[in-house]
Amino acid sequence: ARTVEEVSMDPAVQQLLTKARQEGVETAFDRADAHTACGFGATGVCCNHCLEGPCRIAPNGKGPQRGICGASLDTIVARNFLMKLTEGAAPHAEHGREVALALLEAAEGKAPYEIRDPQKLLRVADGLGIETHGREVNEIARAVALKALEDFQQQTGVLNWLRYRGQKKSVAKWEELGLLPVNAHLEIAQSVTRTAMGCDADPLNLLLGGLRMGLVDGYSGLHMSTDLQDILFGTPTAVKAEYNMGVLDAKKINIAVHGHLPLLSEKIVTWAKQLRHEALAAGSEGINLVGVCCTGNELLMRQGVPVATSFSSQELVIVSGVLEAMVVDVQCIMPGIQQVAECYHTEIITTLPYVKIPGANHVDFHPDNADEAAQAIVRRAIANYGKRNPDKVAIPTVKTEAYAGFSVEQIVGALSALNEQNPLAPLLDAIVSGQIRGVAAIVGCTNPREQQNVGNVAVARELLKHNVLVVATGCSAHSLAKHDLMNEKGLEYCGEGLRAVLKAVGNAVGMESLPPTLHMGSCVDNSRPADLLTTIADTLDVHIGQLPVVGTCPETHSPKALSIGTYFLAHGVDVHVGVSPQVKGSEWVTQTLTGDRTDEELNLDKLFGGKLIYETDPFLAAQKMLDRIDLKRRALGLSV
Ligand code: SF4
Ligand code: FE2
């Protein structure tokens, strides 16, 4: 087994993992040590799409080189990869649809939500071609929600959100290649059909199907979710908050919200305040809400709710012994939290009918009963307070301040303090002059198999040192925040040019400096960097793929990161992954994705001008990304 230091560079995680091991509590880190990787699965060469199989092809040429059905190695690897992308795109599309339904019910007065950002509603409605003049807010909201739901129903045409948010130059390219998705559910069903036994066997066609999944994820998932959540819950503005296990409070009733949807957790924020008197009556000093994963990011960005921890260490929040309830919605929820909770007094509460965990309690959530569900959950947590075992309480004192809330609106707002007429000008000037060498989005997760935060932090520090402006989302943002890359301390890692720009913009808005890396939100909020890139590319009248920008997920664990990455690849943005995308078994698939095919056949780089970079070493990864940034700078005639 790895030592706690080998598991994570976060001292709070190290302390709680030590406690877990002393108390005989097993976590994902221990299970990761116990599992030996399967060489076939890890390289994508194991097919179990039918009952003839599973068939495994040894990549060294030994043994049968085709499945029983005759599927080739390339077919099997490409098909498995497409399945991963579909598993990434589907939960994001469902996220978009859940929020669209909530908006519809809110607009029709059937669900207890209000429109907190009517200005954004108007902008989104405008972008979708919806008449806003002389119409009531709820009427417009209803029309926007129906437009969103069309993206799951229409049998012809193109996703409304793609037409709205897609950069025109990229959309033209996708159109030319016949990649434009019609509706998310249709595309996902077709993708499942494509990968089913006896259907698509053409590796190239399967990879093109993968690009469609990237677009489905990008528009029906990311963009739709962010736009509608901003309308319902407000567009984030800069906020200072706290990170890490030290945000737990032994004197209060602690509730962790975990998952991805803000629909329920926003209501829990409200009811935690309203039921404070009941918490006091139970002998506590109040209710303390903390976030985990992206539900945490959503509440952080809009409400300044502190974040306890990221994906790989989610079970350890419970090991603190002070958690009365962990409320989960969807995505990235380890079933293991229930086994850990059974060693303490923590109640795991699932909330969606399609996300249950054996042994956990379930409070069914629908937008129309949001208040009742949130109240019931907060009351259960209050009732659990008395069951806490003081002998098992140990909260690491580790916590860090961090800035978050950098929506595109907030970034442009800050820049407009420097140039009101043309807010993007200071940023573009800095990129052109080389003060800022390029822009990188660090996205994705933490992974129990990886040393937590090391990849995310090392990639960030290395890029900052070379004057790359870094934005971050998801659990990788947690890594950066916990290690002082979202407060003033981290400025020391920035190269001179970048630091000067961060200071200048910061000063203009009354701060000492902008933080070294900008927290743009949850995983679905990867729409925000995409929107920023669209605005920059349109201003320069170039294709997004021509910009000196990269995406990187050094520590991912989730197929969602692959489908988000594919969305950026379809724009011609280079995407780095630090964890194997499980395609190594096929040289053809690997080289098509990494742009290394030297023959005249298609590869991603030739097709879009961006490629997949798979590199486990964070320093080499940063170097490869810098090389690509420089390549694109040269092509634009910029200095390097
Ligand atoms: Fe084997 Fe073909 Fe069935 Fe896959 S689909 S398990 S390769 S027979
Ligand atoms: Fe996430």
Short mmCIF file of all heavy atoms in Angstrom, two decimals, residues 84 103-104 115 126 188 198 207 224 308 343 369 425 518 551 561 595:
data_model
loop_
_atom_site.label_atom_id
_atom_site.label_comp_id
_atom_site.label_asym_id
_atom_site.label_seq_id
_atom_site.Cartn_x
_atom_site.Cartn_y
_atom_site.Cartn_z
N LYS A 84 -16.99 5.07 -24.21
CA LYS A 84 -16.56 5.95 -23.12
C LYS A 84 -17.08 7.37 -23.36
O LYS A 84 -17.57 8.03 -22.45
CB LYS A 84 -15.04 5.99 -23.04
CG LYS A 84 -14.38 4.78 -22.44
CD LYS A 84 -13.90 5.09 -21.04
CE LYS A 84 -13.54 3.87 -20.23
NZ LYS A 84 -13.72 2.57 -20.80
N LEU A 103 -36.45 24.85 -15.23
CA LEU A 103 -36.75 26.21 -15.69
C LEU A 103 -38.18 26.29 -16.22
O LEU A 103 -38.91 27.25 -15.95
CB LEU A 103 -35.75 26.63 -16.78
CG LEU A 103 -35.95 28.03 -17.36
CD1 LEU A 103 -35.71 29.11 -16.30
CD2 LEU A 103 -35.01 28.28 -18.55
N LEU A 104 -38.58 25.25 -16.96
CA LEU A 104 -39.94 25.24 -17.50
C LEU A 104 -40.96 25.26 -16.36
O LEU A 104 -41.91 26.06 -16.36
CB LEU A 104 -40.15 24.00 -18.38
CG LEU A 104 -41.54 23.87 -19.01
CD1 LEU A 104 -41.79 24.99 -20.02
CD2 LEU A 104 -41.71 22.50 -19.69
N ILE A 115 -36.33 33.49 -11.30
CA ILE A 115 -35.28 33.83 -12.27
C ILE A 115 -34.37 34.85 -11.59
O ILE A 115 -34.73 36.01 -11.43
CB ILE A 115 -35.91 34.48 -13.54
CG1 ILE A 115 -37.04 33.62 -14.09
CG2 ILE A 115 -34.84 34.79 -14.58
CD1 ILE A 115 -36.64 32.29 -14.62
N ASP A 126 -32.31 36.12 -26.72
CA ASP A 126 -31.88 36.80 -27.94
C ASP A 126 -31.03 35.89 -28.81
O ASP A 126 -31.24 35.77 -30.02
CB ASP A 126 -30.99 38.01 -27.56
CG ASP A 126 -31.74 39.30 -27.75
OD1 ASP A 126 -32.88 39.25 -28.28
OD2 ASP A 126 -31.19 40.35 -27.36
N ILE A 188 -27.30 10.11 -28.74
CA ILE A 188 -26.82 9.15 -27.73
C ILE A 188 -27.36 7.76 -28.06
O ILE A 188 -26.63 6.78 -28.02
CB ILE A 188 -27.22 9.62 -26.31
CG1 ILE A 188 -26.43 10.87 -25.94
CG2 ILE A 188 -26.99 8.51 -25.29
CD1 ILE A 188 -26.96 11.64 -24.74
N GLY A 198 -22.45 -5.99 -34.03
CA GLY A 198 -22.94 -6.12 -35.40
C GLY A 198 -23.34 -4.82 -36.05
O GLY A 198 -23.98 -4.84 -37.10
N LEU A 207 -14.83 6.88 -34.74
CA LEU A 207 -14.20 8.07 -34.15
C LEU A 207 -14.97 9.33 -34.52
O LEU A 207 -15.11 10.26 -33.71
CB LEU A 207 -12.74 8.18 -34.58
CG LEU A 207 -11.78 7.13 -34.00
CD1 LEU A 207 -10.35 7.48 -34.34
CD2 LEU A 207 -11.93 6.99 -32.49
N MET A 224 -25.74 24.41 -22.33
CA MET A 224 -27.13 24.53 -21.90
C MET A 224 -27.21 24.60 -20.37
O MET A 224 -27.92 25.44 -19.81
CB MET A 224 -27.95 23.35 -22.41
CG MET A 224 -29.42 23.47 -22.07
SD MET A 224 -30.36 22.01 -22.52
CE MET A 224 -30.35 22.12 -24.31
N ALA A 308 -15.04 21.32 0.79
CA ALA A 308 -14.30 20.42 1.69
C ALA A 308 -13.22 19.65 0.95
O ALA A 308 -12.06 19.62 1.34
CB ALA A 308 -15.25 19.46 2.39
N CYS A 343 -19.39 3.36 9.38
CA CYS A 343 -18.43 3.36 10.49
C CYS A 343 -18.58 4.61 11.36
O CYS A 343 -17.88 4.74 12.37
CB CYS A 343 -17.00 3.29 9.95
SG CYS A 343 -16.72 1.88 8.89
N ASN A 369 -41.08 19.59 -5.77
CA ASN A 369 -41.07 19.40 -4.30
C ASN A 369 -39.74 19.84 -3.69
O ASN A 369 -39.36 19.38 -2.62
CB ASN A 369 -41.39 17.94 -3.94
CG ASN A 369 -40.16 17.02 -4.07
OD1 ASN A 369 -39.17 17.38 -4.71
ND2 ASN A 369 -40.21 15.85 -3.46
N ALA A 425 -9.57 44.19 -25.28
CA ALA A 425 -8.32 44.73 -25.83
C ALA A 425 -7.11 44.50 -24.92
O ALA A 425 -6.07 44.04 -25.40
CB ALA A 425 -8.49 46.20 -26.18
N LEU A 518 -7.70 31.32 -12.51
CA LEU A 518 -9.08 31.80 -12.40
C LEU A 518 -10.06 30.63 -12.36
O LEU A 518 -10.12 29.83 -13.30
CB LEU A 518 -9.42 32.71 -13.58
CG LEU A 518 -8.50 33.92 -13.79
CD1 LEU A 518 -8.96 34.73 -15.01
CD2 LEU A 518 -8.47 34.80 -12.54
N GLY A 551 -6.12 22.77 -23.64
CA GLY A 551 -6.91 22.23 -22.53
C GLY A 551 -6.10 21.10 -21.93
O GLY A 551 -5.39 20.39 -22.65
N ALA A 561 -14.51 13.65 -18.78
CA ALA A 561 -13.36 14.47 -19.17
C ALA A 561 -12.97 14.17 -20.61
O ALA A 561 -12.55 15.07 -21.35
CB ALA A 561 -12.19 14.21 -18.22
N GLY A 595 -2.52 12.69 -33.71
CA GLY A 595 -2.02 13.41 -34.89
C GLY A 595 -0.70 12.87 -35.39
O GLY A 595 0.00 13.55 -36.13
#
